[in-house]
């Protein structure tokens, strides 16, 4: 019996019992793995199937069919998997060090197993006092291990049950932490609860668990959770809402069920208050907008707050009209217009590209406000942007989150509509980064008497999070908007600035070679091969740029890629760069989370908002400490350090290389950007423009002229469904 590349050797089910010796491959989604299993006779076999929760050294009982693969030969295709406790010394070592037992790391696990061998688990179960036989093992440590092992014995079966469903130890710990001994019954009844209630477990894994439990595609729990998942996925692409008819079509394709079943899921999700529905009036682009939970509240709340501020009749900066002040430095007419507008209008926008004097205007406004003894707050979405703003204006600045002050006990910001910010003038930089949720938290905390100035480049990419706040605000016309156009910094000879404006106007940048005896801030390297491009990036990072320009590769040089996948995508580049800049042979502490190895010294980025830790999506830092015993690690961000458990490592990723989208609002001394035809799907003018404007002192573009030309010609802007503009205009 043949199925393309596979030959079934036997139609009879076979049972294989043994120990996992190697995890050969695990798919990104974790639903397909290739492992090596040593049976009871010592013979190794290749097994394929759902083994995402497995680890090397673990014992398994597998039911499946033998088949012959064209390329890889004889292998067992698993139909059913049962995990059991390990029986070999090596397996027991890995089991004890897996993170399941608090207080036991790799070194301690090795000491215990080296002393007791295959009897280790029996010793821990029944004769734990014998641990004192191990040299250097004291009573205090004994009590700690005894307690941890005793507590573990109650949940061991639960963990094995979860593993049999393809759940890793790390996620099993998270699940057990929430549901405790009720875990099996909750998971069996509705595994889709995990997607909503356990951080890191999304719909895809919940769906795989449900399938393993025999739950069908048309189950109402699946339909409801699936619709929410689809809407959440669309919000992660930038949409605040989505047309109902388009969501039905999108969800039907993702979930593999009929449109009618999707409608059932939508109806139930609305009933359960997981999503909301808005019937839009005539004049709107689409009808029946569906919102992921909370986003409609955010959009409506942000719109109401902005309208309130814009309509204020007594904003604090109006007193500047009565103060006769000269300009400290010469300004052009548009810059003067922006400065003087602050005294007239309560809601202001100052926009324009790099080098047009936005910072100069802000500095002048701050100077005037200080003379008038007004209370001035400066803020930005990221720590880097806030620091840059503070230095430029010689006035303290902070991130928006820290300005609003998160209160963990109440799970809310201290400053809100009931306790507004105590300032007369609020200036917000890098507003293009502002998503609808952060906009809501921010503007509801602004008093009606406060004058607001928003500063940003509307030609850059929109926010990583849902919404297109700056663009929607400009298009609504409710704020006094000044677009600065005259370029100043290019007079200093900056090719970065001049090329940024060329790209933004649809013209190919000046990529002519630079004389070898001169230094420039802009370089083009012609290379159309992704593999060779990756090699060049590594050479630039490790030697060429540091030697010629003196930049520190661990601190100063940032690689920005249009995509996550591919040879020059962030995922692959991060692995390669880590191996060069922070290799294992340095002997630094490290730990593994899933397929990722985190090492002391690694550059990392937070990829989700963690309000309790006061660290937010997009913040970059460095791993400074790893504690095996406590299974914790510390990340140092700008001026503060955050403590994580190992199981919280899903909140961070390496950022030696990051996407251009994720780099919004950040500036780096030196930037390297691959621009290849393999990035075709992402190549747009605003993407390249944003990448160029991230570099302060040095920019290196590597790629093909064809890819660069494609990007510059592509002015198509990804459509984001949002009704903020319509709300600001009173249409909704």
């Amino acid at each position: 019996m043949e199925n393309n590349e596979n030959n079934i050797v036997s139609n009879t089910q076979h049972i294989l019992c043994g120990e996992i010796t190697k995890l050969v491959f695990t798919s990104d989604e974790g639903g397909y793995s290739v492992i090596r299993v040593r049976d009871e006779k010592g013979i190794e076999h290749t097994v394929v199937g759902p083994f995402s929760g497995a680890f090397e050294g673990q014992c398994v009982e597998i039911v499946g069919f033998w088949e012959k693969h064209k390329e890889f030969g004889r292998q067992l295709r698993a139909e059913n998997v049962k995990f059991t406790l390990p029986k070999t010394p090596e397996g027991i070592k890995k089991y004890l060090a897996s993170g399941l037992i608090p207080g036991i790391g790799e070194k301690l696990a090795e000491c215990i197993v080296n002393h007791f061998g295959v009897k280790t688990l029996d010793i821990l179960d029944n004769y734990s006092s014998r641990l004192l036989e191990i040299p250097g093992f004291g009573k205090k440590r004994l009590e700690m291990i005894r307690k941890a092992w005793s507590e573990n014995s109650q949940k061991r079966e639960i963990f094995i049950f979860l593993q049999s469903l393809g759940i890793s130890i790390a996620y099993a710990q998270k699940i057990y932490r929430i549901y405790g001994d009720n875990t099996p019954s909750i998971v069996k009844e509705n595994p889709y609860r995990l997607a909503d209630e356990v951080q890191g477990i999304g719909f895809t894994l919940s769906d795989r668990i449900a399938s393993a439990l025999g739950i069908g595609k048309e189950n109402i729990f699946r339909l409801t959770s699936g619709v929410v998942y689809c809407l959440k996925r669309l919000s992660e692409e930038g949409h605040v809402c989505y047309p109902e008819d388009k969501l039905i079509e999108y969800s039907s394709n993702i979930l593999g069920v009929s449109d009618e079943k999707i409608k059932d899921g939508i109806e139930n999700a609305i009933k359960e208050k997981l999503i909301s529905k808005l019937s839009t009036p005539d004049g709107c682009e689409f009808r029946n907008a569906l919102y992921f939970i909370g986003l409609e509240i955010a959009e409506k709340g942000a719109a109401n707050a902005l309208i309130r501020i814009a309509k204020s009749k007594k904003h604090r900066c109006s007193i500047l009209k009565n103060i006769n002040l000269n300009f400290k430095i010469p300004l052009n007419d548009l810059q003067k217009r922006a400065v003087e507008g602050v005294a007239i209008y309560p809601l202001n926008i100052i926009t324009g590209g790099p080098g047009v004097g936005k910072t100069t205007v802000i500095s002048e406004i701050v100077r005037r406000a200080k003379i008038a003894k007004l209370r001035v707050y400066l803020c930005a979405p990221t720590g880097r942007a806030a620091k840059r703003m503070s230095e430029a204006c010689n006035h303290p600045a902070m991130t928006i989150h820290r300005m609003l002050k998160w209160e963990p006990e109440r799970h809310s910001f201290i400053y809100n509509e009931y306790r507004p910010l105590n300032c007369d003038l609020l200036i917000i930089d890098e507003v293009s980064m502002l998503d609808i949720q952060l906009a809501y938290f921010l503007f509801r905390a602004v008093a009606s008497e406060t004058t607001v100035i928003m500063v940003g480049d509307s030609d850059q990419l929109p926010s990583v999070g849902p919404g297109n706040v700056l663009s929607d605000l400009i298009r609504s016309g409710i704020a006094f908007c000044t677009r600065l156009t005259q370029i100043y910094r290019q007079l200093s000879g900056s090719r970065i600035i001049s090329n940024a404006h060329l790209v933004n106007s649809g013209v190919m940048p000046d990529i002519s070679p630079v004389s070898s005896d001169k230094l420039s801030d802009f370089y083009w390297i012609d290379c159309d091969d992704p593999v060779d491009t990756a090699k060049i990036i590594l050479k630039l990072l490790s030697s060429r740029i540091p030697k010629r320009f003196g930049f520190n590769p661990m601190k100063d040089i940032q690689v920005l890629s249009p995509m996550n996948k591919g040879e020059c995508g962030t995922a692959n580049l991060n692995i390669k760069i880590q191996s060069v800049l922070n290799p294992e042979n340095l002997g630094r502490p490290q730990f593994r989370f899933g397929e990722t190895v985190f090492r002391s010294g690694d550059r990392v980025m937070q990829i989700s908002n963690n309000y309790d830790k006061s660290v937010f999506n997009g913040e970059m830092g460095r791993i400074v400490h790893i504690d095996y015993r406590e299974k914790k690690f510390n990340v140092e961000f700008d001026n503060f350090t955050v403590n994580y458990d190992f199981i919280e490592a899903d909140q961070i990723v390496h950022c030696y290389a990051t996407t251009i989208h994720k780099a919004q609002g950040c500036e780096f001394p030196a930037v390297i950007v691959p621009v290849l035809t393999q990035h075709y799907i992402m190549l747009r003018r605003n993407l390249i423009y944003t990448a160029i404007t991230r570099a302060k002192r040095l920019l290196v573009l590597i790629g093909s002229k064809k890819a660069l030309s494609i990007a510059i010609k592509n002015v198509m802007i990804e459509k984001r469904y949002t009704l903020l503009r319509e709300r600001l205009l009173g249409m909704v």
Side-chain angles (χ1 to χ4, degrees):
M1 179 179 176
E2 196 165 304
N3 181 18
N4 293 332
E5 55 185 45
N6 295 327
N7 263 341
I8 303 297
V9 175
S10 171
N11 287 319
T12 304
Q13 279 191 335
H14 184 86
I15 300 175
L16 173 65
C17 298
E19 179 186 310
I20 299 174
T21 58
K22 188 176 182 180
L23 300 176
V24 180
F25 169 79
T26 300
S27 67
D28 290 340
E29 297 295 333
Y32 177 83
S33 301
V34 180
I35 64 173
R36 296 282 291 171
V37 176
R38 184 189 294 118
D39 67 20
E40 294 165 336
K41 296 179 180 178
I43 302 170
E44 286 202 351
H45 307 276
T46 299
V47 185
V48 298
F51 295 99
S52 64
F55 56 85
E56 293 177 4
Q58 190 168 30
C59 289
V60 287
E61 184 180 293
I62 304 164
V63 179
F65 296 91
W66 288 109
E67 61 186 24
K68 188 175 181 181
H69 193 280
K70 279 185 177 181
E71 185 176 350
F72 302 111
R74 189 171 182 264
Q75 59 187 28
L76 184 70
R77 181 167 296 279
E79 297 288 320
N80 188 272
V81 182
K82 181 182 177 182
F83 292 94
T84 59
L85 291 174
K87 298 173 184 175
T88 65
E90 191 60 32
I92 295 169
K93 281 181 191 177
K94 290 178 178 178
Y95 174 73
L96 294 179
S98 67
L100 184 59
I101 319 299
I104 302 183
E106 290 181 13
K107 289 184 179 179
L108 185 55
E110 188 172 3
C111 285
I112 296 172
V113 177
N114 285 348
H115 192 83
F116 296 110
V118 294
K119 296 180 181 178
T120 296
L121 298 183
D122 182 50
I123 294 292
L124 288 167
D125 274 332
N126 303 304
Y127 311 100
S128 58
S129 59
R130 288 190 60 190
L131 291 171
L132 295 173
E133 296 174 10
I134 302 171
F137 207 103
K139 290 184 178 181
K140 189 175 180 181
R141 178 174 282 187
L142 171 64
E143 288 306 312
M144 181 187 71
I145 299 300
R146 182 181 278 166
K147 183 182 178 184
W149 185 254
S150 174
E151 291 173 351
N152 171 261
S153 66
Q154 300 172 26
K155 60 184 182 182
R156 197 175 305 158
E157 290 299 318
I158 294 175
F159 275 58
I160 290 173
F161 161 73
L162 293 174
Q163 279 189 282
S164 70
L165 300 175
I167 300 171
S168 69
I169 287 288
Y171 284 130
Q173 287 177 314
K174 286 189 175 186
I175 294 168
Y176 187 83
R177 193 179 285 179
I178 296 173
Y179 304 129
D181 294 341
N182 295 322
T183 295
S185 60
I186 289 172
V187 172
K188 288 176 182 177
E189 181 187 0
N190 179 14
Y192 295 100
R193 282 182 60 177
L194 303 180
D196 298 323
E197 299 170 0
V198 183
Q199 186 177 18
I201 296 186
F203 174 80
T204 303
L205 180 53
S206 295
D207 202 36
R208 196 162 66 244
I209 295 167
S211 180
L213 290 168
I215 296 173
K217 282 189 174 185
E218 296 185 352
N219 179 280
I220 191 62
F221 290 139
R222 180 177 188 266
L223 296 174
T224 304
S225 183
V227 165
V228 173
Y229 162 72
C230 288
L231 203 49
K232 187 177 181 181
R233 188 163 149 176
L234 290 164
S235 75
E236 290 169 352
E237 293 176 11
H239 303 287
V240 178
C241 57
Y242 211 68
E244 184 176 28
D245 57 339
K246 291 183 179 293
L247 180 65
I248 292 171
E249 182 183 358
Y250 181 86
S251 302
S252 178
N253 290 331
I254 296 288
L255 300 181
V257 297
S258 68
D259 289 1
E260 291 305 311
K261 290 297 178 182
I262 295 297
K263 290 176 183 177
D264 291 342
I266 290 173
E267 186 178 331
N268 197 57
I270 294 171
K271 181 182 174 183
E272 296 291 330
K273 295 184 170 27
L274 299 172
I275 67 176
S276 56
K277 182 175 178 177
L278 176 68
S279 298
T280 55
D282 294 338
C284 286
E285 183 184 346
F286 54 90
R287 301 187 67 83
N288 294 340
L290 292 173
Y291 286 83
F292 179 61
I293 186 70
L295 287 184
E296 185 180 14
I297 295 171
E299 188 179 75
K300 184 178 180 180
N304 290 340
L306 285 161
I307 292 169
R308 169 176 56 78
I309 296 165
K311 290 183 176 179
S312 175
K313 302 295 184 184
K314 295 181 179 180
H315 67 104
R316 301 267 172 70
C317 282
S318 60
I319 67 169
L320 294 175
K321 289 187 289 188
N322 306 318
I323 301 176
N324 188 20
L325 292 171
N326 295 320
F327 290 100
K328 189 176 181 180
I329 58 174
L331 301 178
N332 65 40
D333 289 343
L334 283 174
Q335 289 175 317
K336 288 179 181 177
R337 177 179 184 269
V339 172
E340 292 167 347
V342 174
I344 304 169
Y345 302 98
L347 190 63
N348 301 262
I349 294 174
I350 301 170
T351 187
V356 296
K358 296 191 297 293
T359 301
T360 302
V361 171
I362 296 170
S363 298
E364 177 63 19
I365 293 169
V366 170
R367 184 184 74 87
R368 292 176 169 228
K370 284 182 175 179
I371 292 173
K373 299 189 183 315
L374 294 173
R375 294 163 298 180
V376 180
Y377 281 12
L378 307 182
C379 67
T382 67
R384 286 173 179 254
K387 185 179 179 182
R388 190 172 66 246
M389 191 184 191
S390 178
E391 291 169 352
C393 298
N394 193 29
H395 188 82
M398 63 188 90
T399 65
I400 296 170
H401 292 95
R402 290 184 177 84
M403 179 180 70
L404 297 175
K405 292 185 181 177
W406 181 256
E407 194 172 42
E409 295 77 18
R410 296 171 56 191
H411 296 284
S412 64
F413 287 108
I414 289 176
Y415 292 103
N416 49 45
E417 62 267 47
Y418 307 109
R419 186 182 178 182
L421 295 163
N422 188 27
C423 63
D424 302 314
L425 172 62
L426 176 65
I427 304 178
I428 313 151
D429 200 9
E430 296 289 354
V431 182
S432 62
M433 295 182 65
L434 206 61
D435 63 43
I436 194 63
Q437 288 176 308
L438 189 53
Y440 167 58
F441 291 133
L442 173 60
F443 293 119
R444 73 172 184 169
V446 177
S448 300
E449 299 80 17
T450 299
T451 305
V452 176
I453 303 172
M454 291 170 280
V455 186
D457 187 348
S458 59
D459 292 324
Q460 286 188 26
L461 293 167
S463 59
V464 175
N468 203 354
V469 175
L470 179 58
S471 177
D472 286 346
L473 266 165
I474 292 172
R475 291 191 304 119
S476 74
I478 74 161
F480 178 69
C481 182
T482 304
R483 182 179 291 273
L484 304 179
T485 56
Q486 187 173 332
I487 306 167
Y488 289 94
R489 263 198 283 164
Q490 83 176 60
L491 299 175
S492 65
S494 170
R495 293 180 77 199
I496 292 175
I497 301 299
S498 59
N499 279 328
H501 285 278
L502 286 172
V503 167
N504 199 34
S505 22
V507 179
M508 280 287 283
D510 177 11
I511 58 174
S512 56
V514 179
S515 174
S516 59
D517 60 342
K518 293 183 179 179
L519 291 180
S520 174
D521 65 350
F522 183 100
Y523 293 86
W524 169 264
I525 300 175
D526 203 77
C527 184
D528 198 27
D529 182 79
V531 175
D532 290 342
T533 298
K535 290 178 181 177
I536 293 170
I537 290 172
L538 293 179
K539 286 180 182 177
L540 287 167
L541 275 167
S542 60
S543 59
R544 290 170 63 178
I545 291 178
K547 285 180 181 178
R548 186 157 193 194
F549 297 91
F551 291 120
N552 184 326
M554 290 291 284
K555 295 180 179 179
D556 301 328
I557 310 173
Q558 183 64 52
V559 179
L560 301 179
S561 176
M563 299 183 72
N564 286 309
K565 296 183 178 180
E567 188 69 29
C568 287
T570 61
N572 185 55
L573 286 175
N574 272 314
I575 294 171
K576 291 181 179 293
I577 297 170
Q578 183 197 40
S579 70
V580 172
L581 298 187
N582 195 24
E584 187 174 5
N585 59 20
L586 293 177
R588 291 175 172 169
Q590 64 180 44
F591 70 96
R592 180 180 291 276
F593 185 85
E595 301 298 307
T596 305
V597 174
F598 291 105
R599 194 167 293 135
S600 183
D602 274 342
R603 289 171 61 178
V604 293
M605 175 187 285
Q606 179 79 14
I607 57 171
S608 61
N609 290 331
N610 189 322
Y611 293 100
D612 293 335
K613 295 182 187 292
S614 292
V615 60
F616 305 102
N617 188 5
E619 295 201 61
M620 295 181 177
R622 185 171 64 91
I623 297 177
V624 292
H625 181 67
I626 295 173
D627 187 330
Y628 294 123
R629 186 170 176 177
E630 296 296 326
K631 299 194 181 299
K632 296 181 182 292
F633 65 101
N634 293 343
V635 178
E636 185 179 77
F637 296 96
D638 288 332
N639 303 318
F640 68 102
T641 300
V642 177
N643 185 272
Y644 297 84
D645 294 329
F646 280 2
I647 61 173
E648 296 176 309
D650 57 348
Q651 298 180 34
I652 62 166
V653 294
H654 287 121
C655 68
Y656 297 103
T658 189
T659 62
I660 297 167
H661 280 84
K662 282 285 191 181
Q664 293 172 76
C666 297
E667 283 187 347
F668 309 94
V671 171
I672 303 169
V673 185
V675 186
L676 303 166
T677 50
Q678 81 168 173
H679 298 146
Y680 180 87
I681 193 171
M682 294 297 296
L683 293 178
R684 293 180 177 83
R685 184 186 297 175
N686 61 350
L687 186 90
I688 301 299
Y689 173 70
T690 301
I692 294 174
T693 56
R694 299 309 90 206
K696 290 170 67 176
R697 293 160 56 191
L698 177 66
L699 174 71
V700 182
L701 294 181
I702 312 171
S704 70
K705 293 173 185 173
K706 180 182 178 182
L708 186 59
S709 176
I710 289 170
I712 292 168
K713 290 176 181 176
N714 186 2
V715 294
M716 183 181 69
I717 298 174
E718 287 187 43
K719 172 66 180 175
R720 289 193 169 193
Y721 287 103
T722 160
L723 290 172
L724 179 61
R725 174 182 169 273
E726 286 75 10
R727 292 183 189 274
L728 292 171
L729 293 173
M731 297 171 61
V732 177

